Amino acid sequence: MIPTDKPIGLASDHAGYEIKKYLISLFDAEGIKYTDFGTYSTDSVDYPDFAHKLGAAIDNGECDYGVSVCGTGNGINMALNKHHKVRSALCWNTEVARLVRLHNDANVLTLPGRFVSQKEAYDMVKIFFDTAFEGGRHQNRIDKIPCI
Ligand code: RB5
């Protein structure tokens, strides 16, 4: 399922904490390695603080992939995508989660914690990590993403 030997990086704010906690319980049950960059409770926090920890871990090679969650998914997604090696994709159903791997080679799956169920979240995680990048014309497009 997971196309890397490195731990999956996890990050959320308070609004994404419960979904992240649920995903962690399933990762534990399945023996999937992860690093949880916080937050660690439902106390109110600022999502960039945790997005940048995960983003830095991807930039420095500590993690190849991640999952992030905030309320809408947007704030944490915006902050993550400031990192050079991050392609974080906000997903709301399994077909979008599949396409962001196939077409965008997304390396972070970002979820809107206040708008998806636990089951929907885990179904997206499974399909995200089970889907390989298609390459070809999509590689050309990805190569044009960085600002020059
Ligand atoms: C927190 O209330 C909320 O603003 C945050 O989780 C996220 O939705 C921001 O984009």
Side-chain angles (χ1 to χ4, degrees):
M1 173 187 174
I2 308 287
T4 176
D5 288 338
K6 296 179 189 175
I8 303 302
L10 302 175
S12 77
D13 70 355
H14 53 288
Y17 173 74
E18 292 294 345
I19 289 280
K20 188 186 66 172
K21 195 169 83 170
Y22 177 70
L23 295 177
I24 284 173
S25 73
L26 295 175
F27 284 2
D28 284 339
E30 295 181 16
I32 294 168
K33 285 188 301 178
Y34 60 87
T35 301
D36 183 4
F37 293 100
T39 189
Y40 303 110
S41 78
T42 54
D43 294 346
S44 184
V45 292
D46 301 330
Y47 54 79
D49 295 338
F50 305 94
H52 291 315
K53 287 182 183 172
L54 171 57
I58 290 177
D59 278 350
N60 72 25
E62 182 183 339
C63 299
D64 289 331
Y65 294 91
V67 178
S68 80
V69 197
C70 72
T72 65
N74 274 298
I76 206 162
N77 193 49
M78 290 175 187
L80 273 158
N81 278 316
K82 295 294 180 187
H83 290 261
H84 295 300
K85 292 190 181 168
V86 171
R87 279 186 303 281
S88 177
L90 176 57
C91 295
W92 55 92
N93 65 36
T94 52
E95 185 58 5
V96 176
R98 191 176 74 86
L99 286 167
V100 301
R101 287 289 306 126
L102 274 177
H103 289 187
N104 310 115
D105 199 18
N107 55 9
V108 178
L109 169 67
T110 292
L111 302 172
R114 286 182 171 147
F115 299 91
V116 292
S117 68
Q118 291 181 338
K119 181 180 184 317
E120 287 170 327
Y122 196 57
D123 285 348
M124 284 187 268
V125 167
K126 277 190 295 188
I127 203 153
F128 181 87
F129 287 112
D130 276 344
T131 304
F133 178 48
E134 235 174 45
R137 69 187 187 282
H138 299 296
Q139 183 63 56
N140 300 339
R141 295 165 185 170
I142 286 172
D143 291 343
K144 293 182 178 181
I145 291 176
C147 289
I148 37 178

